[in-house]
Amino acid sequence: MKNICFSVLLCLLSIAIPCFAMEFEVTGTIVDEQGKGIPKVKISVAEQDFLTNNEGTYSIKLANRPHFAFKLSKDGFYSIIHTFSKHELNNFANSSSRQVPPISLVNKIKGRTLFALGGDVMMGRRYWSPHFDDAKLIQANSVEQDTKAILQHMRPYMSLADLAVINLETQIADEEPKTKAAKSVTFITPPESLDALIWAGIDYVSLGNNHTFDYLDNGLTSTLKELNKRKLGFSGAGLNEKVALAPFVADLNGSQFAMLGYVGWSGSALPSQTAEKDKGGAALGSMNNIKSSVGESLTKGLLPIVQYHGSLEYSDEPTLVTEQRLKAAIDEGAVLALAHHPHVAQGFEIYNQKLIAYSMGNFAFDQYFYSTHHSYMLYVWMDSESFHRAEIIPIYVKGYKPTPATDINRYSTLKRLSELSKLRSTQLTSSGGHGIITPLPRIPDSKTKQISKSVSESKLAHLYDLPWQYQISRIDVPDDISYRLGVVLSNGGDFENHASFNANERGRLITSDNHKILASPDNSWLSLNLSDEPAWFGMQYFRRVYNADSPSSVSFKVNSNKPASINVYWQGRKTRDKLFDALNSGQKHLIGTFEYQPNGWQEVVFDFNSPRIGYRSYRVLLEINGEEQQLELDDFALIEWQTAYTQSPTPPRLSTLAKQASYIGFNKEMTGKIQLNLSH
């Protein structure tokens, strides 16, 4: 269904910015699904084309730039794109294997269909009226152009599919209707944004969600009119229950797929958000409605694909209601089941050889909660009714723009999805920078890796360079050292992706008028010019999801040529506080003060306990004082510890969060090596 010039698309993924002229070499292998090297695969990257040799291997020299999109293509296989940062590729080149992880391609065969699936999409609210004087992303006189700019980095990925799908969590109208539902949050998006979605490759949208009736009948009528005008496929809502429960039928490669969408609850306000016999709204995803509409599709020879909007926002696991309804859909004959609404990514399950994705997270959304930025899009290959394979492309919603996730963001997303899926006996494997799911996952042979990490005068070591699909099974530290495992709750503190994808990191607070990001070939950091007034740096927003009364740490590195004093605070939003009242006037609790004396880069770690009950969220801030000087910061992180200190080589009983560890902490500053055993 797509006819797009990929050379143009790949240019969008490699926006030119000033960079270092240094070249570096990367090697790797392209394999088929059985692991055999594929010869003569075309690799398009950085405006150059390369071919694999007869064994499927390649060697490429690249000039330094922030990121690289590798597009792989060969007759008889589906094309695929993997995006890596220069930091990642440098790490691959300097690693013991000196290779990019093997990338596998999927055979094109008769009757096979590729779906590209994204999560929640909305183009209103803070896209037009952002907080904190951030730049507007959508202007009234350039809606379509601006929305295309938001979606540009996902267009190459979506355009590879036979059918590309998102959940449209908004109504569509030229202007906000005068009447709206009795609810605190309502969304409206201009019609031109639909044109941008189509440009980005989207073929179908689900309307089965809790924002499809925000402005009642007028908003729904306008939405349906604009979708029909553009011939953009949709289902999951209608002017009566029968229409709302009807599928959109996609005729693809000899199979007809019934796209069904539902919302899981009617809502407490009247009129309800769901359709009734003579009333419009979203399709109610009751057990009876799911079973009957799936069954009806089957009797017509259609293959049902179910999208369900339910569970609880910002949660790690689906509710039992959501799980039961999705499994009932599969039992009834659905060939694929997807869910959304939590706004964060949840795990996968292979159930009766069919795939369930419990939460697709956000695709393009304006939420500033740090946990909502790590998401994914999903490729699913179907052989008629049979699930063949899924591929997880991690994305990072950077400044409200969906971008390919690299570095820390890739690790965080894939590690989370891997560990949550293991709870449901579903094993993710890797292909390049992506995750893979198959209907009968091959549980790998008991594989182990031994990795040595050097630590120099530090209380911390990050774990982002570990393979995300492995678990830590043993940690050997010096005899006088205890360790603990933790996860990072802040985003973007390493500054490595600051220049990537023409998108700003909106989660950082920087009050210095004169600041910039500096870079070397191997690292990036923040430079602040201090004056008589204190400079503030830290988290722009409160962390919405955290564990109360947890051991935590604030960590950062600092460098200057003059003395400076840095106060570290936590600031909370109490349960009944309004957001901006808490941000502007909430009490700042001093964690500690660091007196910097010039001696090169120094690591600072302050331990504290996260707020107890009575707070809904919190953030950490640095108040930096010093005479006129240039002060540099790097590797800022808020870490929540998931285990107590131990000297046992075998990690203690690990929670799901502990298994997602991104940091190891030590009870005192150490210099030496730690040995990690990883199992898969």
Side-chain angles (χ1 to χ4, degrees), residues 582-602:
L583 286 169
N584 295 328
S585 305
Q587 181 182 355
K588 296 180 179 69
H589 303 263
L590 182 66
I591 296 172
T593 300
F594 177 71
E595 300 292 346
Y596 177 83
Q597 295 297 324
N599 189 23
W601 282 100
Q602 296 176 37

Side-chain angles (χ1 to χ4, degrees), residues 386-621:
S386 298
F387 165 57
H388 174 69
R389 167 171 157 143
E391 188 152 344
I392 304 158
I393 298 95
I395 67 174
Y396 182 65
V397 186
K398 186 183 181 190
Y400 310 157
K401 291 184 180 183
T403 67
T406 62
D407 298 282
I408 292 173
N409 297 320
R410 184 197 309 280
Y411 176 91
S412 297
T413 298
L414 290 176
K415 189 67 174 174
R416 173 182 172 84
L417 291 171
S418 178
E419 295 304 332
L420 291 177
S421 300
K422 285 175 185 175
L423 297 177
R424 298 174 180 276
S425 302
T426 299
Q427 184 83 32
L428 275 57
T429 55
S430 67
S431 169
H434 300 168
I436 301 297
I437 312 170
T438 53
L440 290 173
R442 298 187 301 271
I443 303 300
D445 298 334
S446 182
K447 295 180 180 178
T448 60
K449 284 181 178 285
Q450 290 188 334
I451 293 179
S452 175
K453 290 185 71 72
S454 296
V455 180
S456 178
E457 298 182 345
S458 178
K459 291 182 66 178
L460 299 171
H462 74 77
L463 302 176
Y464 294 122
D465 52 354
L466 301 184
W468 55 264
Q469 67 272 32
Y470 281 76
Q471 287 184 338
I472 297 174
S473 57
R474 182 182 175 92
I475 302 174
D476 288 296
V477 295
D479 291 341
D480 60 338
I481 295 293
S482 298
Y483 71 88
R484 57 183 176 176
L485 298 171
V487 296
V488 66
L489 301 187
S490 54
N491 297 346
D494 64 345
F495 306 105
E496 294 303 329
N497 290 293
H498 175 81
S500 295
F501 308 113
N502 194 29
N504 292 326
E505 185 74 65
R506 293 180 179 232
R508 293 192 294 245
L509 169 70
I510 308 174
T511 64
S512 170
D513 292 332
N514 192 352
H515 67 270
K516 55 188 174 182
I517 305 296
L518 301 178
S520 70
D522 299 318
N523 194 25
S524 299
W525 62 93
L526 173 68
S527 175
L528 302 169
N529 279 355
L530 300 186
S531 61
D532 294 336
E533 295 294 321
W536 288 86
F537 174 83
M539 297 166 66
Q540 182 79 275
Y541 315 117
F542 294 120
R543 173 73 192 199
R544 178 65 177 267
V545 181
Y546 74 97
N547 292 318
D549 198 26
S550 287
S552 304
S553 295
V554 183
S555 172
F556 56 93
K557 294 176 182 175
V558 61
N559 180 40
S560 184
N561 60 357
K562 293 183 179 180
S565 179
I566 302 177
N567 296 320
V568 182
Y569 301 92
W570 72 264
Q571 181 187 39
R573 180 185 180 186
K574 293 185 177 180
T575 305
R576 297 184 180 181
D577 285 350
K578 293 183 178 180
L579 174 62
F580 282 97
D581 288 344
L583 286 169
N584 295 328
S585 305
Q587 181 182 355
K588 296 180 179 69
H589 303 263
L590 182 66
I591 296 172
T593 300
F594 177 71
E595 300 292 346
Y596 177 83
Q597 295 297 324
N599 189 23
W601 282 100
Q602 296 176 37
E603 179 184 77
V604 183
V605 180
F606 281 110
D607 297 333
F608 70 106
N609 295 331
S610 65
R612 289 176 56 83
I613 57 173
Y615 289 88
R616 63 191 302 180
S617 53
Y618 81 105
R619 63 177 177 171
V620 292
L621 301 168

Side-chain angles (χ1 to χ4, degrees), residues 167-168 170 204-209 212 220 223-224 227 234-237 282:
N167 172 52
L168 187 64
T170 179
Y204 160 86
V205 301
S206 174
L207 301 179
N209 59 67
T212 206
L220 179 59
T223 302
L224 300 179
L227 289 167
F234 67 90
S235 64

Side-chain angles (χ1 to χ4, degrees), residues 115-117 338 348 355 357 360 376-380 390-392:
F115 293 87
L117 307 157
L338 317 165
F348 301 92
L355 179 66
M360 297 289 297
Y376 68 94
M377 62 170 288
L378 188 68
Y379 286 155
V380 175
E391 188 152 344
I392 304 158

Side-chain angles (χ1 to χ4, degrees), residues 327-384:
K327 288 183 173 177
I330 299 292
D331 291 339
E332 202 67 25
V335 298
L336 175 66
L338 317 165
H340 23 72
H341 180 63
H343 295 295
V344 294
Q346 293 181 356
F348 301 92
E349 183 173 0
I350 298 298
Y351 175 73
N352 292 343
Q353 297 188 45
K354 305 296 184 186
L355 179 66
I356 299 175
Y358 282 108
S359 175
M360 297 289 297
N362 285 342
F363 186 72
F365 222 86
D366 70 339
Q367 285 178 306
Y368 48 77
F369 306 141
Y370 295 93
S371 58
T372 66
H373 299 169
H374 294 95
S375 191
Y376 68 94
M377 62 170 288
L378 188 68
Y379 286 155
V380 175
W381 286 268
M382 297 294 299
D383 293 340
S384 189

